[in-house]
Every structure is written in C-alpha cells, then in structure tokens.
Amino acid sequence: MRRLAVSAMVVAAGSGLAACSSGSSGRATADAASSSACWATATSVSQCGGMKALVAAAKAEGHLNAIALPPDWANYGSIMKGFEKKYGITVNDANPDGSSGEELAAIKSERGSSKEPDVVDIGPSFALQGQQEGLFAPFKVPTWSEIPADQKSAQGYWWDDYGGYIAIGYNAKDFPTPPTSFASLLQPEFKGAVCLDGNPESAGAAFAGVYAAALANGGSLSNIEPGIAYFKELAKKGNFVPTGASPSTIASGQCRVTIDWTYLQVQYRKSLAGKVDWKVFVPTKGLYAAYYVQAISRDAPDPAAARLWETYLFSPAGQNGWLQGDADPVELAALEQSGQVDQAALAQLPPVHGQVSFPTQAQLNAAEQVVLQQWPSV
C-alpha cells in the first residue's frame, strides 16, 4: 500500500493544534466547536467569516480525511504535501488505491464517525449517484465562476477538477509518415500496431477511445455505434491489437500506436524517454474528454478542513499541481488568462483544438449498453 509520508514538522504542527483545541481552555474549545458547526453547512467561504475564519477553524480540526488518492496519480502526493505545509493540517489518505464505488461506500459505512471521509475524488457517474443519495454537502469554491457550467452541479454538490482528452500516441521511429487522425490508422503501415488501454466493456479509458472514434466517424454522444464499426474495420485490416496499452507493451513493440488519455500518453513519453521516441497528439476530429469530480461529504467530521482543501485545490497552487501531474485542470483557461499557469508543465501537454462537449448520464448509460452488446463481435 502506498501511503503519504508526513513530515515531522507537519505532524508536530498537527499535534500542537490538536492539543490547543482539546486543552484546558474551555473558551477555545467552544469557539472551535462553534466554528466547525458553522462550516458544516456553509455553502461558501464568505458565509462563516471568510478565509481567515476558515483557516482558523480548519487548523483547530487539525486534519483532513481523504480517501483513494494515490500519491503518484495526477501529482496528488505533491498536492497533499503542499496543503499540509501551507496550513499545518495533516491529510489522512485512507485506501489510497481504492475506487470511486469504495469512496461512496466509505461515506455510508463510516457515517457519523471520526473516520468518515471529509472529501471524495470520484468519477462523474458516482458524483451523480452520490448527489441522488444525499451523500454530499453543497459548497461553491471561491473560483466557482471559473468552472464551466457543464462541469459542475448548479447547486454546488459536485464539480469537475482535473481530467484529460483522448489522444493518439505513437513510436515515431516506426512510422516515417506519422498518423494524423483516427482515419489515418486504417492505412496498411499501421498493421499490427494499434492498441486501446484495455477492453471497452470494462475499462474506462478504452470505452472513451471507442467514444472518440465514434465522434470522428459520424457518430455523436448519443450514437457510439460508428466507433464500434471503426474498430471492426481496424481489426479486419489487421491493424487493431487486443493488447492493453502500458509502458511495457509500448517498450516491447506490441503497442506501437495507442489510443489513450493525454495524461497517460505524456507519462508514457516521459517514462520511456531514451528507449522509445513517443509522440502524442489530440485528434481534432473525435474530440472527447472526461474529468474526475470533487465533492464534500454531507456529514464530514472535519467540515472546515474539507472546505479549505477544496478551496486550495481550486487555487493556482492546486490547479497547477494537477497540471504538473500531466492532467488538464478544469480552470486551465482562467489560469492562462490571469498569467498564473505553470508554462513548463503546460508545454508537456499536447495542444487541443476545438470545443469539447460532455455526455449526459443517460447518454453514457446507453453507450455502455451498446458496447456491452456489440464489442464482442469486434
């Protein structure tokens, strides 16, 4: 299990805060309790006195219950350390390799206890499920207006944080004439070369690859069938390889072209530098993106810390943190406009041209059913 190593300084700061809030001063304890009570229902930072009040209340709580945040995923290790260093609040990351479903299950099973997750990082469908089940507390981070309307709950129950686009990666040494689109991968020179990242019946990245192929071939968010037809044709020509994309299959030459998320493609390029000349581009025709989602537990045991964490994630430090992890932060456009973007990190990502749209839950459900029914014939 991968766990975040908390520095002695942070532990000492957290211990000091805990000792202060539980010491002999009844007035201090009452004030801290009152502050937490206010933040438990706060829907904005201004509602309970602003940032100074939020920081004070969060420090009095002394820790944050996070869950399912692998330190090496999307740069979360550095982001958590940055939050701890800035505020002296310890991040307890339970089940770092857990799933979105396990995050919602933990909210239910630990409800009312000090171990209940304060915040979650989940997939879009689980965000909708959690809202429907009344698991989340509404809250709007200070930069709420910088999050696109179709990437957040209007009431503040959840909001997108970071994600990526489906991109095509390839070994430049093997293809003097590089691919330029989904259509180009049907050419004879790509025989035995093209991989998805898993099986679209069960793997989200592969499913997204089929969706992107559908958009590139006359389909829509309501019609994924052209994507399946595309892969049937790719398989018929012998170009499609039913081997999952990974650094090892790329290095071995099994996957000389992959259809995968931008943040994974960039990581392939970095990890294989010197071994494989990996190039990446986001196809203009077939633009498909997906983001992970943030939410605060309705009964968060550390409500001020939860709201401070979300505020930090949607500050330039947090947004650039995800960018440094090769993911697209949801407020990237605002960062660029304000001149606060990490230019070096941004330069690592392939450019994106065009406006992306996101499927509704009904469209996703329908597409998943079509893939389950038709993919076995590919």
Side-chain angles (χ1 to χ4, degrees), residues 320-361:
N320 276 314
W322 280 320
L323 187 59
Q324 291 155 8
D326 303 317
D328 281 78
V330 72
E331 295 179 354
L332 178 57
L335 282 178
E336 291 184 279
Q337 290 171 6
S338 66
Q340 298 180 85
V341 70
D342 183 330
Q343 292 291 349
L346 181 60
Q348 294 295 316
L349 300 185
V352 176
H353 303 286
Q355 184 66 37
V356 69
S357 296
F358 298 90
T360 65
Q361 188 59 44

Side-chain angles (χ1 to χ4, degrees), residues 81-102:
K81 288 179 180 178
F83 177 78
E84 290 182 321
K85 182 177 180 180
K86 184 176 180 66
Y87 297 112
I89 296 170
T90 302
V91 178
N92 298 320
D93 183 20
N95 190 16
D97 297 310
S99 66
S100 295
E102 289 173 324

Side-chain angles (χ1 to χ4, degrees), residues 78-124:
S78 294
I79 291 171
M80 287 188 282
K81 288 179 180 178
F83 177 78
E84 290 182 321
K85 182 177 180 180
K86 184 176 180 66
Y87 297 112
I89 296 170
T90 302
V91 178
N92 298 320
D93 183 20
N95 190 16
D97 297 310
S99 66
S100 295
E102 289 173 324
E103 292 183 66
L104 296 190
I107 291 178
K108 298 173 187 177
S109 64
E110 299 290 353
R111 176 169 286 167
S113 77
S114 61
K115 295 181 180 180
E116 181 180 349
D118 289 310
V119 292
V120 291
D121 176 313
I122 50 183

Side-chain angles (χ1 to χ4, degrees), residues 20-22 26-39 56-57 60-61 304:
C20 177
S21 64
S22 61
R27 174 65 180 274
T29 302
D31 286 349
S34 175
S35 296
S36 285
C38 182
W39 290 108
E61 291 169 353

Side-chain angles (χ1 to χ4, degrees), residues 41-288:
T41 57
T43 57
S44 69
V45 170
S46 62
Q47 190 171 331
C48 294
M51 273 301 293
K52 287 185 178 180
L54 176 58
V55 172
K59 285 187 173 183
E61 291 169 353
H63 61 271
L64 173 82
N65 290 347
I67 183 172
L69 304 182
D72 57 356
W73 174 262
N75 201 35
Y76 254 123
S78 294
I79 291 171
M80 287 188 282
K81 288 179 180 178
F83 177 78
E84 290 182 321
K85 182 177 180 180
K86 184 176 180 66
Y87 297 112
I89 296 170
T90 302
V91 178
N92 298 320
D93 183 20
N95 190 16
D97 297 310
S99 66
S100 295
E102 289 173 324
E103 292 183 66
L104 296 190
I107 291 178
K108 298 173 187 177
S109 64
E110 299 290 353
R111 176 169 286 167
S113 77
S114 61
K115 295 181 180 180
E116 181 180 349
D118 289 310
V119 292
V120 291
D121 176 313
I122 50 183
S125 63
F126 291 93
L128 294 175
Q129 177 187 336
Q131 180 180 350
Q132 291 165 358
E133 295 180 355
L135 301 182
F136 304 145
F139 180 71
K140 296 183 179 181
V141 293
T143 54
W144 188 255
S145 64
E146 296 173 3
I147 303 172
D150 60 354
Q151 292 187 261
K152 59 189 177 185
S153 156
Q155 302 83 11
Y157 285 105
W158 54 263
W159 49 97
D160 284 1
D161 46 17
Y162 63 91
Y165 293 78
I166 283 297
I168 295 174
Y170 61 96
N171 188 343
K173 294 179 181 178
D174 290 340
F175 303 107
T177 302
T180 57
S181 63
F182 277 97
S184 68
L185 297 180
L186 293 167
Q187 297 302 313
E189 57 263 39
F190 298 104
K191 187 170 184 177
V194 184
C195 297
L196 281 169
D197 189 353
N199 185 320
E201 295 173 276
S202 57
F207 172 80
V210 176
Y211 230 146
L215 297 177
N217 288 276
S220 68
L221 295 177
S222 296
N223 180 18
I224 199 173
E225 288 192 35
I228 297 173
Y230 169 82
F231 277 97
K232 283 185 179 179
E233 183 67 14
L234 206 64
K236 182 179 178 181
K237 291 179 176 293
N239 293 14
F240 179 55
V241 181
T243 299
S246 69
S248 61
T249 57
I250 292 171
S252 68
Q254 292 174 275
C255 295
R256 293 177 291 141
V257 178
T258 67
I259 300 169
D260 211 342
W261 294 120
T262 44
Y263 49 87
L264 296 178
Q265 298 278 23
V266 173
Q267 289 171 15
Y268 297 154
R269 185 179 66 203
K270 289 179 178 179
S271 65
L272 297 171
K275 301 177 182 178
V276 176
D277 184 12
W278 198 249
K279 303 293 185 182
V280 183
F281 70 94
V282 176
T284 301
K285 194 173 182 181
L287 196 60
Y288 186 85

